[in-house]
Structure formats: C-alpha cells, structure tokens
Amino acid sequence: MSTLTASGRVAQIPILTLHALDEMSSPISFPPHLFARAMRRWHADGWKTIDLAQVVRLLSRGAKFPAKTFALTFDDGYASVYREGFALFQELGVTATVFVAPNPGGDTNGTTPLPRLSEREMLRWNEIRELRAHGITFGAHTMTHANLTRCSDAQLDDELRTSQQALADALGEPITLFAYPFGKYDARVRGRAAHFFDAAVTDRLGIAGANSDRYALERVESYYLLSPWAADGFTRAWFPHYLAARNLPRALRRRLLPS
Ligand SMILES: [Zn+2]
C-alpha cells in the first residue's frame, strides 16, 4: 500500500472501523460471512493485525509499521463482536480494539451487559473479560455515547474521565485509547481527550501515518469495503487513491474510478 522501505516497513497503516457483525443492513452492520471471508483472504495474503496501542507507540516514536499490517477496531461493544468474531480472531490470531461505553455505577460483573445503544444486544462483562484474556483490547467511548461537541466543559471531562476510570477498574489495567462517539470532535474536545488518553480515533476517512494527529486518527469505515469492486479493499495498491478520491468532487471522481 505504501512504498516499502529497505527495512520492509511502511509509513502508513489502515485502521479499520467496524461496529456490529450482523445482517441488519444498517450502516453499522457488516455481514459475518463477508467479514470471515475478507479476514481469511487477507490472512492468506500474509496480512496481519497489530494492536492499536502498538500503532500509537510506533506513531509517537516516529517509527514505521511492519509491512502488510492493519489495525482492527470495533465501536460500541455489540455482542456480535464476541458471538460472530471471537472464534475467527482465535483461529487467525487476530487482535482488535473494542471501544465501549461502560455501565454507570460500576456494575461490571458476570453476565451484566453494557448499556444498550440501539436494539442490538450488547457485550456482557464475562464476554469482555474473555476477549481481553485472549488479547483483544478495550478503549473508552464515553459513558453515554454523547456527542461531545455539545457537552459543557464539565460534562465533557466527566464523560472522558468516568468512562476511562470505569473501564480501568473493571479490567484492572490503564485505559489509554479513546473513540469519539459519532466521530464528533472539535479543538476543545480534542484537547480534553489529549489530557486523558494516549490517542483518539475518529471517523475521518483516511490511512493513519506519520502525519496523523494522534488525537484525531483517521480510520477506514468497513462500509467502504462492502462495495463489490472494493471487496479486496485496503490490501491493494490503489486503495489510498480510492480513499483520496472519496473526498474529491463527484465529477472528478467519476473520471478516476469505476462507479
Ligand atoms: Zn459509537
């Protein structure tokens, strides 16, 4: 995808965004059979996942990334990540980061689920702990899935601090990664995220790299991988051009890309 350096390292790394692995035909659904097919194909082509925390460590050192790697993220903590994804993660040795909004009041025991965000079932805490024990990491996604740009200063800090602390208490480790709900952030929100976390991911379409803002990391929404001709997705050399073209005016895009 990017030019290989002599050391076999690359300057950019795709961070994929997924939400639910289901057939609900909503923008946040990715059908499980297509997910399994894509992951198996990339695996067979020699692509590996690396943990988002490792991506952030490399970025902060100005280091490059191992070639043929990508990071996988799941927002919101839907139960389908465990029920449809976990066996595949284990089979292929896949790592991922799941961003969750934990329970107010600290009820993080047993089979208690995360608070619901939609009609979908949410991960239960025993499933979260099992995923964690197998190398899946967790990041904060506020307490109430709020649009942070509309929160007062006090609410903003409370959403960030309380979600970070609740997750840290539940999992017994520091929580260093954050995802902005709805991808919404501005300079004020970014500044407070930088106060609490090592990095934050957005829904800005792009491939993260040395020039990225660590508190506004670009991601590739998996929705873009669903169109038939893009099914090979980010493992192809033209993919960064495809992403760039998504941001071009429509007429120019037509000339550059198949419709
Ligand atoms: Zn979300």
Side-chain angles (χ1 to χ4, degrees), residues 19 75-76 78 99 117 141 145 180-182:
H19 290 81
D75 285 10
D76 298 345
Y78 297 110
F99 290 100
L117 299 176
H141 198 37
H145 206 270
Y180 301 105
F182 314 105

Side-chain angles (χ1 to χ4, degrees), residues 158-169:
D158 190 51
E159 288 280 2
L160 299 173
R161 181 192 294 111
T162 311
S163 60
Q164 182 179 44
Q165 193 58 53
L167 266 180
D169 289 347

Side-chain angles (χ1 to χ4, degrees), residues 172-223:
E173 62 185 355
I175 299 299
T176 61
L177 302 171
F178 181 73
Y180 301 105
F182 314 105
K184 298 272 189 210
Y185 70 100
D186 55 21
R188 180 185 66 119
V189 170
R190 181 205 169 280
R192 296 315 292 163
H195 178 78
F196 289 101
F197 296 95
D198 288 350
V201 292
T202 68
D203 63 357
R204 279 200 308 133
L205 183 62
I207 299 186
N211 297 325
S212 296
D213 175 352
R214 250 198 298 148
Y215 294 98
L217 288 175
E218 305 88 343
R219 292 191 288 178
V220 178
E221 173 54 57
S222 57
Y223 174 79

